[in-house]
Every structure is written in C-alpha cells, then in structure tokens.
Amino acid sequence: MLLGSAAALAALPAQAQELDRATPLIEAPREFDPTPIRIGAGTLGLGLDVRGEYIDNLYALPDNEIDDFRLTLVPRATFVIDQQRVRPAARAHANVRRHANNSTENSVAALVGLDGAWRLTQADTLSLSAVANRAVEERGDPESLRSPAVSPRRYNLLTGEVGYRRQAGRTLLLARGTVNRTDALRRSDRERDFHQWSAQGRFGVRVS
C-alpha cells in the first residue's frame, strides 16, 4: 500500500497533435516481436508500422463531405546503452501520410529524442530528456483548418525535462520539471506560438 501526495503546476493551452503511431489492429504473438540488434555496448531496435484507412469525411465538414483513402507509414528506431549506473538512449520515428485524392493532405511528421538516466547513489537517480517533434494537425480537430484548398498546420515542438527520484526504505520522492516550446510554421499562425512550463512532485510512504 502506498500513501502519498502530489502537486503540479501547469500553464497555457494544450500542445498541437503529437506524432501518432499506426498501431496494428491485430497484435502479433510476442515471439514475433522484432529482435534487438546488439552493437557494441548498445542495443538497436528497428520497426515499421503500416496502416491503410478509408475516411468518409476527411475535413469534418457539416455537409458536402469529402472522402479519401490514406496510407500511413511509421518507420522507427531506438538505440539504448544500458550500463550499471548510466543509461543513455536515442529514439527517432517518422509519420508519412499519403492520400489517394487530396494531395494537399500529404505530410511527413518526425520526432527525435535523447534520454538519459544516471544512478547517483543506490537510492538516487537523475534523468534528463530532450525531444524535437515536427507535428501535423488533424483535420478532425475542432480548431483545425477546414478548407480543402489549404494544407494542414505544421508545428515544431521542443520539449526538455529533468527528473529526480529517491527511493530509500519505505519512502519515495519524485520530482520533475518540464518546459515546452510550440512554434507554428505558417506566418499567419504565429499567434499560436507559446511556451509551457510545468513542475510535479510526489512523496509516498509504504505502510505495508
């Protein structure tokens, strides 16, 4: 049993759509999971998701709906070095969308991230993360552009995070600080640019 309290401070509206993944509808058995590739002290993971969709109202219009077929490709790669006290990692993936009839909706989104965890002592761990993301808005979002003549909005999203964890005996202390930067690429959308800062903390005691 864990008793604890949490506090958080966040500001400003939610970010643009994050990079999605073409999750398969039928999950393969675990024995068919990709085999990691060992390279020196690190492990390389590679994957590719493919999804085909039919969308009967691509622009979420109240009438005169426009339908289309969409193909989504999501290649991805991770590289992790897992040592006794240090665990650096890198990850990257892209989201390539191609439409059969509406080429203005074709897009390429991408994400690159660097993460690291350092065990300072047996009880203390420090973590750092930096992520750069090129995101493309979803037409079905209530605030998205609806005109078929204009391509969807694109954003550059930058995120940095630092975290601290201390677990000693029956107590657990967690702290995390995050800063986000959202940049709209289209000049007419610059009023959507913003920064967001957040801080979170949690303290827990195991009583049984």
Side-chain angles (χ1 to χ4, degrees):
M1 179 179 179
L2 182 67
L3 298 179
S5 62
L9 175 64
L12 304 178
Q15 288 190 3
Q17 173 214 355
E18 294 184 357
L19 192 65
D20 72 337
R21 176 180 172 185
T23 304
L25 296 179
I26 302 176
E27 296 290 343
R30 293 187 61 85
E31 57 265 27
F32 288 90
D33 287 348
T35 301
I37 303 170
R38 193 72 183 178
I39 301 178
T43 302
L44 175 66
L46 300 173
L48 174 66
D49 295 329
V50 181
R51 179 174 66 212
E53 301 169 278
Y54 170 72
I55 306 172
D56 64 356
N57 190 0
L58 181 62
Y59 300 96
L61 299 173
D63 48 34
N64 299 319
E65 297 90 344
I66 299 174
D67 64 345
D68 206 347
F69 289 93
R70 180 167 71 191
L71 176 66
T72 302
L73 304 175
V74 184
R76 62 187 185 279
T78 60
F79 186 73
V80 180
I81 299 176
D82 200 349
Q83 298 181 341
Q84 185 175 3
R85 297 188 61 181
V86 181
R87 191 179 190 273
R91 52 196 165 98
H93 59 279
N95 187 309
V96 182
R97 291 177 175 176
R98 290 296 179 263
H99 293 73
N101 301 317
N102 298 275
S103 60
T104 58
E105 301 307 301
N106 293 343
S107 64
V108 177
L111 180 148
V112 177
L114 296 174
D115 307 285
W118 290 264
R119 178 170 292 181
L120 305 176
T121 68
Q122 191 66 25
D124 302 280
T125 301
L126 178 68
S127 62
L128 299 172
S129 176
V131 177
N133 184 3
R134 167 65 62 83
V136 182
E137 74 174 358
E138 282 282 2
R139 289 297 199 177
D141 190 291
E143 295 186 2
S144 67
L145 296 171
R146 299 297 180 88
S147 172
V150 181
S151 60
R153 295 186 179 98
R154 289 166 170 79
Y155 297 88
N156 284 335
L157 311 178
L158 300 176
T159 302
E161 184 175 284
V162 59
Y164 172 75
R165 174 190 176 98
R166 178 175 176 80
Q167 184 172 356
R170 294 177 176 271
T171 63
L172 174 66
L173 174 64
L174 300 173
R176 182 171 61 187
T178 306
V179 58
N180 298 293
R181 170 65 180 172
T182 297
D183 285 314
L185 299 189
R186 189 175 287 135
R187 185 182 299 274
S188 59
D189 294 325
R190 288 302 172 88
E191 73 277 1
R192 293 174 171 266
D193 295 352
F194 67 90
H195 284 88
Q196 177 176 310
W197 296 267
S198 66
Q200 302 178 53
R202 182 169 185 174
F203 176 76
V205 177
R206 191 175 66 242
V207 297
S208 63

